[in-house]
Amino acid sequence: MLFGRKKKNPIILRDKGVVEWKYATCGYCSTGCSIEVGIDARGEAVTTRGVADAPVNRGKLCIKGITEAEIFKAQGRGVEPLLRASRHDEWQTPGWDAVLDKTAAEFKRIQEKYGRDSVAVVSTGQILTEEFYTLGKLTRGLIGTNNYDGNTTLCMASAVSGYKRSFGSDGPPGCYDDFSHTDCLLAFGSNLPEQHPVIYWRLKEALEARKFPIIVVDPRVTMFAQFADIHLPITPGTDLVLLNSLAHVIFDEGLADLDYIHAHTNGIEDFQALVQRYDPVSASRLCGIDADTIRNVARLYASAGAAMSIWTMGINQSTHGSDGVCGINNLNLITGNIGKPGGTSLSITGQCNAMGTREWSSCSGLPGYRALENPAHREEVGRFWNVDPAFFPQKRGMCMTDIFPAIESGQIKALWLVATNPMTSMPNTQRMRKTLEKLEFCVVQDAYQDVEATQYAHAFLPASLWAEKEGCFTNTERRVNLVTQVKPPLGNSKPDLWIFNELAKRWDVSAQMKFPESASEVFDEMRALSVGTGANGHQRMLDISGMSHAKILAQRGIQWPMREGDDTGNQRLYTDGVFQFPDGRAKLLALDWVDNNEKPDADFPFWLNSGRVVEHFHTRTRTGKVGNCNKFSPTPYMEMNPDAAAELGLKNMEYVRLVSRRGDAVVMVQLTQRVPFNMVFIPFHFHDCVNRLSLGLLDPHSRQPAFKQCSVRVEKTDQVEAAKMNVQMRAF
């Protein structure tokens, strides 16, 4: 029993006086759970429950979804637009018109003085798809800066890049139903039970009906690794070595699906020549997995009737994350495991609408997976928006991770942050402070006024939260689902769609463009724009022309593509073996592993790993204020191997100081065998913690930071002073 209890307290389900249930889609991770919010007689949101007939979660919710009603009135919400001359001044409350007028005027002043790209916009994966689309139209069609990106660069950029390089387009090809058809599951750097509990429940449900092997690749003994049939405790940063070696065995033992390869791919000769160098014995010396295990896993995967791969940040957040994704795609292509039930390469997305921003925000191009580099796409969107196509840049601008160094160097003078928190989420927190101080004008648009970046803002735009507004999210399996407005916005906060539309009116040329006021009208515009012909001569893949808000609500979410006339969406992509390159073939990419990680040495002898815990989400802006979530992890802590701690004279629940080449952080020690002797693990959610230490080297293709591979040392620290610091930090 916990804490020596001989008798457990009974579970009590209290009557919260619900008089009405209103439909929404959960606003945390990318699983896409359908949720109902209970409204009491006062009109307050008091509880939530899962939707029983929803195809994703079938009535289930995780701890965050169960407590989600509590976020509406959490402390720190923004309720009035604010303005000040400098970050040292007191906030003034002059009203929406004055704050939006000042914001537009400052953007125009700075662009006139320093050039169009001196203003940057950094968005999120948290707002609604119709809002993303409108922000993209505002940024690309009116403001005109090319330095526009989302915080999805920190989590999903490598997956996007890898899909584009292998298949010719972004878009996860599989779905959750593949668990029910697969004969082998290979998971890279994914801890489903804690990161995506409901997806894990779907997997367990499939395993109860039919047993198949689960193989987890992760340097840490995660909860998922504990439940796996085979755990491969890989050396951090060497996933591509393992993937190339698996391919080596598959070709060497005649297990490749040559018919599929020759019919649907290019590049087999170069790829086969490269993987010949990655024999299991040589690879084992680099990746830490013994040769016989590599052979066994390769045989299991290639011999399965259908095999699927999933991954999350363990692959993406690396200096060669994009190559790792391509390596996973290679593995599935050579075994014929793309586009069939149980056979797929499925990235598990992080945020509730990271997919929506990838599809419609125009961050990395133009809406609907169109590219700035394609003149026909610029012409098509320009005509649709009534914008001169020559106004669009001819190639993508800076990614989020390049925007902040450009502020340091003076190239960018104004920054608009929309529902993102770089003070906690970006590597090298100390450097971020100095960076934001250099801005001539900074705008923070967020549901929470106390988000850390607001310290450096000149204007604050209070946005409505989650189900205080209406629109769509897209989940990991490309399922578009609806959020309905369950209660009015708090105070004088406004929906992001309203803010974008009102700001757009401050540009004279906006009169020639259309900015619909309702989310359903915006969605109808997106539907029309989604139709067309792709690079391969077939119908566009991201076609939502058959959807509407009413149909989405009725079906509890619909997977794209769903074309006009279809009854419902499509579960899988590439079922016909036709990919998104002009010739319709996927690419097998010959990718050599490059050893460019920071590794432990005598001065910094421990690997630093980081990740998510089930009770928190991202930077704790919401879950840190929900008592039933925060109580499980209220303070920064570090998992450490007991033998390593004993050598340093450290005890469980003792404060220690972690030091890297970039900074330091104080955490509490939690002793566990989940981490090896030469590694420590820290949840990434806490302010002024893990990202004071992280390396932040960027993947050359995706520009995503390598959060998970760097080296640190562990030092004793004064316990009283550390406790005081801990109390201070818990204010964030």
Side-chain angles (χ1 to χ4, degrees):
M1 297 294 177
L2 287 175
F3 309 112
R5 286 186 190 150
K6 294 181 179 179
K7 183 179 179 181
K8 288 184 178 179
N9 292 329
I11 296 174
I12 300 172
L13 298 177
R14 302 187 188 281
D15 182 357
K16 296 190 176 181
V18 173
V19 297
E20 184 180 8
W21 293 96
K22 294 187 177 182
Y23 185 86
T25 304
C26 181
Y28 281 112
C29 80
S30 70
T31 302
C33 294
S34 294
I35 190 171
E36 287 181 324
V37 181
I39 307 297
D40 68 9
R42 302 167 300 158
E44 297 295 334
V46 292
T47 190
T48 58
R49 68 183 183 186
V51 177
D53 63 346
V56 169
N57 54 314
R58 304 169 185 174
K60 299 288 192 295
L61 293 174
C62 77
I63 184 174
K64 293 185 287 291
I66 290 170
T67 59
E68 199 159 7
E70 298 180 37
I71 68 175
F72 288 110
K73 284 201 166 182
Q75 64 180 11
R77 286 287 307 273
V79 294
E80 288 291 342
L82 305 174
L83 198 62
R84 59 185 176 185
S86 82
R87 66 185 186 87
H88 303 292
D89 296 334
E90 294 294 319
W91 286 112
Q92 305 298 315
T93 55
W96 274 107
D97 282 338
V99 176
L100 292 174
D101 287 345
K102 179 66 172 178
T103 297
E106 283 296 297
F107 285 174
K108 293 173 184 177
R109 176 189 69 80
I110 287 168
Q111 286 182 308
E112 184 176 345
K113 183 175 181 179
Y114 301 106
R116 210 164 80 179
D117 292 338
S118 59
V119 172
V121 182
V122 176
S123 181
T124 180
Q126 293 287 304
I127 60 176
L128 299 161
T129 305
E130 295 86 348
E131 295 169 337
F132 280 130
Y133 174 78
T134 304
L135 174 60
K137 188 192 290 190
L138 167 61
T139 303
R140 293 291 184 201
L142 292 177
I143 297 174
T145 179
N146 197 21
N147 294 324
Y148 166 44
D149 197 21
N151 65 13
T152 47
T153 293
L154 306 182
C155 56
M156 297 312 300
S158 291
V160 173
S161 171
Y163 278 143
K164 287 180 177 179
R165 294 167 69 196
S166 294
F167 304 148
S169 173
D170 187 16
C175 59
Y176 304 152
D177 187 60
D178 285 319
F179 293 140
S180 298
H181 300 280
T182 195
D183 298 305
C184 182
L185 175 69
L186 181 56
F188 290 87
S190 172
N191 185 15
L192 277 186
E194 294 198 73
Q195 296 167 339
H196 302 88
V198 174
I199 299 180
Y200 179 68
W201 168 76
R202 289 287 301 271
L203 172 61
K204 292 290 285 185
E205 192 177 51
L207 284 166
E208 287 175 6
R210 188 178 49 85
K211 179 63 178 171
F212 52 89
I214 306 294
I215 305 161
V216 172
V217 183
D218 201 299
R220 178 171 163 252
V221 187
T222 62
M223 193 180 296
F224 200 12
Q226 293 174 55
F227 296 148
D229 297 287
I230 301 173
H231 173 218
L232 307 182
I234 195 168
T235 301
T238 61
D239 307 275
L240 187 60
V241 175
L242 174 61
L243 286 158
N244 283 343
S245 190
L246 293 173
H248 172 103
V249 175
I250 289 168
F251 282 119
D252 191 53
E253 299 191 4
L255 301 173
D257 187 339
L258 295 177
D259 289 341
Y260 187 91
I261 291 170
H262 293 310
H264 301 295
T265 72
N266 292 320
I268 177 62
E269 295 83 5
D270 289 344
F271 179 65
Q272 206 165 358
L274 175 112
V275 300
Q276 280 304 306
R277 305 206 307 267
Y278 286 82
D279 63 275
V281 174
S282 300
S284 67
R285 299 189 185 107
L286 297 172
C287 70
I289 309 301
D290 69 88
D292 284 342
T293 299
I294 292 174
R295 293 189 189 95
N296 183 41
V297 168
R299 292 165 187 153
L300 274 174
Y301 199 82
S303 300
M308 65 184 291
S309 303
I310 64 171
W311 74 92
T312 52
M313 298 308 113
I315 287 285
N316 293 343
Q317 292 178 338
S318 165
T319 52
H320 30 73
S322 178
D323 285 356
V325 173
C326 292
I328 293 171
N329 295 337
N330 285 340
L331 183 66
N332 285 275
L333 289 168
I334 66 173
T335 55
N337 281 301
I338 292 290
K340 70 180 187 183
T344 192
S345 174
L346 182 63
S347 67
I348 308 294
T349 312
Q351 301 180 72
C352 59
N353 206 21
M355 282 290 293
T357 190
R358 287 153 64 175
E359 297 160 0
W360 291 104
S361 73
S362 304
C363 276
S364 61
L366 291 168
Y369 288 165
R370 291 174 173 87
L372 286 164
E373 291 79 5
N374 188 323
H377 289 176
R378 297 197 302 272
E379 181 70 29
E380 183 181 14
V381 175
R383 204 168 52 244
F384 191 87
W385 284 351
N386 200 23
V387 172
D388 184 351
F391 187 71
F392 296 140
Q394 296 183 15
K395 62 179 182 179
R396 179 183 179 172
M398 294 181 188
C399 297
M400 177 182 181
T401 44
D402 298 308
I403 285 172
F404 290 102
I407 296 172
E408 282 184 311
S409 63
Q411 296 167 262
I412 291 173
K413 300 292 186 178
L415 177 65
W416 183 10
L417 295 172
V418 180
T420 190
N421 188 14
M423 282 299 300
T424 298
S425 60
M426 281 288 289
N428 206 332
T429 305
Q430 307 92 301
R431 184 178 175 186
M432 284 299 303
R433 292 185 184 281
K434 294 295 183 183
T435 298
L436 295 180
E437 287 174 359
K438 297 190 70 171
L439 289 164
E440 289 190 17
F441 194 72
C442 177
V443 184
V444 171
Q445 179 172 325
D446 206 286
Y448 291 91
Q449 184 182 332
D450 61 359
V451 69
E452 289 87 346
T454 310
Q455 301 170 60
Y456 301 91
H458 301 85
F460 174 75
L461 310 179
S464 304
L465 180 71
W466 180 45
E468 293 174 346
K469 50 191 181 176
E470 182 163 318
C472 292
F473 291 152
T474 306
N475 77 345
T476 282
E477 59 172 357
R478 310 179 325 281
R479 188 179 299 276
V480 182
N481 209 344
L482 192 66
V483 177
T484 66
Q485 186 181 30
V486 306
K487 67 185 301 293
L490 184 66
N492 199 17
S493 67
K494 300 290 184 181
D496 295 272
L497 179 60
W498 183 92
I499 297 171
F500 300 147
N501 282 343
E502 288 297 310
L503 189 61
K505 294 175 183 177
R506 271 69 182 174
W507 274 261
D508 293 337
V509 291
S510 66
Q512 69 193 31
M513 300 174 68
K514 183 182 177 184
F515 283 86
E517 293 185 3
S518 74
S520 60
E521 290 176 309
V522 177
F523 192 83
D524 288 340
E525 186 174 311
M526 293 159 50
R527 290 174 56 215
L529 188 55
S530 74
V531 179
T533 303
N536 58 10
H538 293 236
Q539 290 175 296
R540 291 187 61 80
M541 190 168 69
L542 207 177
D543 189 330
I544 60 170
S545 58
M547 297 185 194
S548 67
H549 277 195
K551 289 179 182 178
I552 292 167
L553 180 60
Q555 297 189 34
R556 307 308 200 209
I558 301 173
Q559 290 169 277
W560 61 257
M562 180 183 175
R563 300 182 171 89
E564 190 70 52
D566 292 348
D567 293 327
T568 191
N570 291 266
Q571 284 187 305
R572 299 173 183 87
L573 304 179
Y574 311 125
T575 54
D576 56 0
V578 178
F579 293 87
Q580 292 296 302
F581 289 110
D583 64 359
R585 288 172 168 265
K587 291 183 179 179
L588 288 169
L589 298 169
L591 301 168
D592 213 356
W593 177 69
V594 178
D595 186 7
N596 59 356
N597 276 333
E598 181 178 88
K599 294 193 286 290
D601 56 22
D603 293 325
F604 301 94
F606 292 93
W607 285 106
L608 172 62
N609 191 2
S610 64
R612 186 182 292 180
V613 294
V614 67
E615 57 269 17
H616 280 309
F617 188 75
H618 284 201
T619 62
R620 296 172 62 251
T621 309
R622 285 174 290 173
T623 54
K625 297 164 182 171
V626 176
N628 282 323
C629 290
N630 194 54
K631 68 183 181 183
F632 295 106
S633 295
T635 190
Y637 68 91
M638 170 189 76
E639 291 183 356
M640 188 177 193
N641 187 281
D643 296 330
E647 281 198 2
L648 296 176
L650 302 176
K651 298 177 181 178
N652 194 48
M653 302 298 287
E654 186 176 5
Y655 289 106
V656 295
R657 178 174 178 250
L658 280 176
V659 183
S660 75
R661 290 178 175 86
R662 290 151 297 280
D664 64 347
V666 174
V667 295
M668 187 176 283
V669 176
Q670 182 182 92
L671 299 183
T672 175
Q673 297 287 354
R674 295 176 74 180
V675 290
F677 184 87
N678 66 338
M679 181 182 293
V680 296
F681 170 87
I682 303 178
F684 71 76
H685 309 285
F686 298 95
H687 178 60
D688 255 353
C689 187
V690 70
N691 280 332
R692 292 174 59 88
L693 306 162
S694 56
L695 179 57
L697 287 178
L698 304 181
D699 179 287
H701 298 281
S702 67
R703 310 304 289 165
Q704 184 164 347
F707 284 108
K708 291 181 176 292
Q709 295 105 37
C710 71
S711 57
V712 295
R713 67 172 178 262
V714 182
E715 299 178 352
K716 283 181 169 289
T717 191
D718 184 285
Q719 297 301 295
V720 174
E721 289 302 314
K724 290 178 181 177
M725 182 186 299
N726 184 290
V727 171
Q728 292 169 0
M729 293 312 304
R730 284 170 67 174
F732 288 95

